[in-house]
Amino acid sequence: MGRRRLPRRGWIVTTLSLLALMMVPASPVAANPVVEPVAADPSVVRAADGMYYMYTTADDWGDGQGMHNMSMFKSFDLMDWMYVGDVFPDLPEWHPEGKLAWAPHVLESGGGYSLYYSLYDESNPCIGLATAPGPTGPWTDLGRPVFCAQDVGIEGTIDPFVWDDGTSKTMVVGNFRGIYAIPLDGDGAAPVGEPVQIADDRFEGPFITFRNGYYHLFLSAGNCCNGGDTAYRVVVGRSRSLTGPYLDRKGQDLNEGGGALILAGSDPWAGPGHNTVVTDDAGNDWIVYHAIPRDDVTLPSGAQRREGMIDRIVWADDWPDVGDGSPSSTRPQLPDTDLPVRVSLTADDSTTLPENGGTIAATMVVAAPEDQPYAGQVWASVTPPDGGISDPIFGPIDVDLAPGEVYEEPISYAVSADAPNGTYDVYAFAGTFDTETVEFGALNGVKSGPQMTDVAKRVSAVVWRDGA
């Protein structure tokens, strides 16, 4: 393989993935989404290891694996995401058969991690809780609800968000039956006070940030799931108190018809909403949410493509603005994360392969930051359909780059005609092989039989033969 060192002209981080229907990142500079094909109701937390972790609602990705019961992803830079498993590979005993978990909210708490989630039932929806020593588990369910709607005397106990100020915990919850703040006990495992309504019945998906003395309440309005016609959108109000009143820019109470619109659909994207807010290493805030591509609404599983998105928030007079108010309108801005190196994989040729297999050809780009050198190792590996990570298909090799220097390497992976059905992720890594990864990128391609043509439109390398 030939190798080139180039003067740096600017790096592009791309996470794609060689995998059928896996949630895989698209090119961050070119466009959203950052996670495909489904990443509904994302919750993002920065863990003690410095990485970002994302958690999403249960969904059927259309990958032949059935329902994924809340999925987990990790990223160094908020743009390139790697699937790392499901929160509940086995259903907790108290969950009714067929009821999967929605709308996770994760926070670091007491040296571990707490994951609150919705368990929907039309007559008595409940909030659950699982805890783990680390951001990817193993997750231990509480074994009972934190509370259900009938326990607290409200109807819409869906979409939990927990505010933890270090001394007390308050759950903010609700979906189109009013948004309520409910005090929790010290363990965050039971209600200990009366609900206080902080927004009316037009909203769901609450998320709160605190800035310059104001609590900012982000809410989603409209139907989340009406395909390309959905009018889901994000509005904001702010208050000096966690329990309100929350007012919009005009001073109107969110309990009385108020709400400042900051993000709505566009020609390419429908229904942006159910957001979280995360901060990069430069102190910039980013709104992470899901939206539906109007030109490709539904997976063969019947699930909507509520894809993972990210855009920059700019604060003006302590009010958040998102570009022109539509998805992707803050591009080409990208999160600023302190990484020792940047890694990307980009396709050299078509990544759609015939049923008899072929080779995915790519270029790995390793770029040192402008202000510091990078010395370490780089390699590439594959995640096969049965899980795990392969031995390196390239490297590991040592690189020693001056500030701003770029190293390029051609990478290829052959998918044989008799390769097993399923998904294949190809990742390029930097760090110290087998002990420490400091950055990664990925590429996707498709080996597609007729069953996979639609689902694999933007995603990974698929092996799915007729009759399988």
Side-chain angles (χ1 to χ4, degrees):
M1 291 184 177
R3 300 173 182 173
R4 291 186 289 166
R5 290 176 182 264
L6 304 176
R8 186 169 183 198
R9 296 186 297 272
W11 57 270
I12 297 175
V13 179
T14 305
T15 303
L16 306 161
S17 99
L18 261 189
L19 147 101
L21 310 171
M22 199 132 180
M23 313 247 185
V24 290
S27 169
V29 174
N32 270 310
V34 294
V35 180
E36 297 184 69
V38 187
D41 311 329
S43 175
V44 178
V45 64
R46 188 90 180 264
D49 61 6
M51 295 190 73
Y52 297 93
Y53 291 84
M54 180 188 293
Y55 309 82
T56 64
T57 277
D59 243 319
D60 186 338
W61 304 352
D63 62 351
Q65 303 302 309
M67 293 292 289
H68 292 265
N69 201 357
M70 287 194 301
S71 297
M72 301 177 288
F73 306 85
K74 66 180 181 180
S75 174
F76 284 101
D77 55 19
L78 291 170
M79 302 303 299
D80 298 346
W81 293 92
M82 180 186 293
Y83 168 69
V84 293
D86 296 335
V87 172
F88 292 137
D90 299 308
L91 204 66
E93 289 185 2
W94 71 275
H95 290 195
E97 188 67 30
K99 297 290 186 181
L100 301 184
W102 294 1
H105 177 240
V106 180
L107 65 158
E108 190 173 4
S109 180
Y113 293 82
S114 296
L115 185 153
Y116 293 87
Y117 60 90
S118 305
L119 197 65
Y120 183 67
D121 179 271
E122 288 187 5
S123 62
N124 192 27
C126 299
I127 299 299
L129 169 62
T131 57
T136 59
W139 296 95
T140 301
D141 192 77
L142 182 62
R144 60 167 175 82
V146 176
F147 59 78
C148 297
Q150 294 174 8
D151 299 330
V152 292
I154 64 176
E155 296 181 68
T157 49
I158 300 291
D159 298 348
F161 169 86
V162 173
W163 183 266
D164 184 354
D165 65 8
T167 60
S168 64
K169 298 181 177 69
T170 301
M171 181 175 292
V172 181
V173 67
N175 68 309
F176 306 122
R177 299 293 188 274
I179 303 296
Y180 291 86
I182 304 172
L184 301 179
D185 64 14
D187 294 328
V192 293
E194 294 298 314
V196 176
Q197 186 168 345
I198 61 174
D200 62 33
D201 61 5
R202 294 169 295 143
F203 305 117
E204 65 177 8
F207 185 91
I208 294 176
T209 62
F210 184 76
R211 177 186 171 89
N212 293 340
Y214 288 103
Y215 295 90
H216 292 83
L217 173 61
F218 293 75
L219 296 167
S220 293
N223 188 321
C224 72
C225 306
N226 193 27
D229 295 326
T230 183
Y232 214 44
R233 57 201 183 276
V234 179
V235 304
V236 176
R238 72 183 188 186
S239 174
R240 294 290 188 182
S241 167
L242 178 64
T243 56
Y246 284 90
L247 308 180
D248 65 16
R249 285 183 172 96
K250 297 178 180 178
Q252 189 170 6
D253 195 322
L254 270 63
N255 253 325
E256 300 175 355
L261 180 67
I262 66 164
L263 187 62
S266 61
D267 287 344
W269 294 101
H274 202 121
N275 73 281
T276 186
V277 176
V278 64
T279 304
D280 69 17
D281 289 326
N284 301 313
D285 286 332
W286 297 81
I287 184 169
V288 181
Y289 58 99
H290 69 243
I292 302 166
R294 293 189 194 272
D295 65 349
D296 191 12
V297 172
T298 307
L299 290 164
S301 66
Q304 285 189 145
R305 284 184 178 269
R306 291 186 287 172
E307 300 177 341
M309 311 279 283
I310 187 169
D311 274 292
R312 171 83 183 275
I313 292 175
V314 174
W315 294 88
D317 297 325
D318 288 317
W319 286 102
D321 288 313
V322 179
D324 66 7
S326 67
S328 287
S329 60
T330 68
R331 289 296 187 269
Q333 297 177 89
L334 301 175
D336 188 344
T337 48
D338 294 332
L339 294 175
V341 66
R342 305 287 179 170
V343 180
S344 67
L345 276 175
T346 56
D348 295 342
D349 300 302
S350 171
T351 54
T352 298
L353 303 180
E355 287 188 80
N356 62 355
T359 299
I360 305 296
T363 299
M364 177 176 67
V365 178
V366 182
E370 294 286 0
D371 59 352
Q372 64 184 28
Y374 173 72
Q377 293 185 306
V378 295
W379 67 98
S381 296
V382 178
T383 300
D386 58 356
I389 192 82
S390 74
D391 291 334
I393 60 171
F394 165 78
I397 63 168
D398 296 321
V399 294
D400 189 356
L401 304 179
E405 190 175 12
V406 174
Y407 170 90
E408 287 190 3
E409 181 74 43
I411 299 291
S412 64
Y413 178 67
V415 180
S416 65
D418 61 352
N421 295 343
T423 62
Y424 295 79
D425 285 328
V426 174
Y427 294 102
F429 300 95
T432 304
F433 175 66
D434 221 20
T435 56
E436 182 182 33
T437 300
V438 297
E439 167 68 319
F440 64 80
L443 174 71
N444 61 26
V446 179
K447 182 181 179 217
S448 178
Q451 295 163 309
M452 287 300 193
T453 301
D454 181 54
V455 284
K457 179 176 179 181
R458 294 187 194 80
V459 293
S460 1
V462 166
V463 181
W464 195 281
R465 292 183 300 279
D466 291 339

